[in-house]
């Protein structure tokens, strides 16, 4: 994953799974310019995210992880705007059936 990504979308959602990605740097900047769509971002364990600089009109921006680290590696900084959509930051997918 490069240190800077620009996500431009008109009508449609983006699902970005970075759980198994290799990062070029410890800080990744993702700039959003989206209308009529949402972003579902999955981050690896120990990664932190900042969604404070995302402006959302007609939706929400949430970090849905439990015990999300305030400072982790990599650190993903989301900026930009989303119109009539939402931004959800999640952790890695959990298996449906766990072995005992």
């Amino acid at each position: 994953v490069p240190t800077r990504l620009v996500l431009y979308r008109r009508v449609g959602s983006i699902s970005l799974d970075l759980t198994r990605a290799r990062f070029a740097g410890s800080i990744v900047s993702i700039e959003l310019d989206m209308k009529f769509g949402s972003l579902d971002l999955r981050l690896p364990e120990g990664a932190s995210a900042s969604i404070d600089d995302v402006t959302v009109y007609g939706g929400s921006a949430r970090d849905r992880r439990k015990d999300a680290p305030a400072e982790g590696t990599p650190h993903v900084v989301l900026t930009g705007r989303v119109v009539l959509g939402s931004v959800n930051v999640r952790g890695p997918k959990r298996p449906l059936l766990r072995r005992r």
Side-chain angles (χ1 to χ4, degrees):
V1 176
T3 56
R4 183 172 182 267
L5 290 172
V6 177
L7 301 179
Y8 175 84
R9 176 68 71 155
R10 298 293 181 257
V11 185
S13 296
I14 298 174
S15 179
L16 189 59
D17 189 350
L18 302 178
T19 55
R20 295 184 182 179
R22 286 183 279 160
F23 294 87
S26 60
I27 298 176
V28 176
S29 175
I30 300 176
E31 183 179 339
L32 303 174
D33 185 7
M34 299 177 64
K35 289 184 181 177
F36 309 108
S38 299
L39 171 66
D40 185 27
L41 177 64
R42 291 205 176 261
L43 297 177
E45 292 288 337
S48 58
S50 172
I51 57 174
D52 297 333
D53 294 332
V54 176
T55 304
V56 181
Y57 301 101
S60 64
R62 295 183 184 158
D63 190 345
R64 296 188 176 271
R65 300 174 294 163
K66 295 178 184 174
D67 304 324
E71 295 181 14
T73 302
H75 181 70
V76 178
V77 178
L78 296 165
T79 59
R81 68 183 182 136
V82 177
V83 178
L84 295 176
S86 61
V87 176
N88 292 310
V89 178
R90 301 175 192 271
K93 290 183 180 179
R94 302 283 182 220
L96 293 176
L97 300 174
R98 293 186 182 180
R99 293 184 180 182
R100 292 183 183 190

